[in-house]
Amino acid sequence: MSTSTYTVTGMTCGHCVQAVQTEIGKIDGVTGVDVDLASGRVVVESGGDIAASDIAAAVDEAGYELAD
């Protein structure tokens, strides 16, 4: 089990949160996604290591960006 934390910028509402959760949740190996709208913090749980580039691509697909 692996847990990684990221910060997503540009989210402003519950729909934003749902879009990010859905896209990250599609990645093979992801077992859980917790998104905090106020802080932009996203915690991803997985069965193994997930490449940050895969998370970034999913966030981009949802219409947002990972903070540097």
Side-chain angles (χ1 to χ4, degrees):
M1 188 75 150
S2 178
T3 302
S4 301
T5 303
Y6 304 90
T7 301
V8 174
T9 59
M11 296 187 299
T12 59
C13 65
H15 174 66
C16 301
V17 168
Q18 186 63 40
V20 170
Q21 283 178 326
T22 299
E23 290 301 324
I24 294 175
K26 292 179 182 178
I27 299 171
D28 285 342
V30 170
T31 58
V33 182
D34 180 49
V35 180
D36 181 70
L37 177 61
S39 66
R41 188 189 60 148
V42 177
V43 177
V44 179
E45 295 179 357
S46 59
D49 290 335
I50 304 290
S53 60
D54 291 343
I55 300 295
V59 169
D60 183 65
E61 183 67 27
Y64 307 96
E65 293 183 2
L66 286 183
D68 291 331

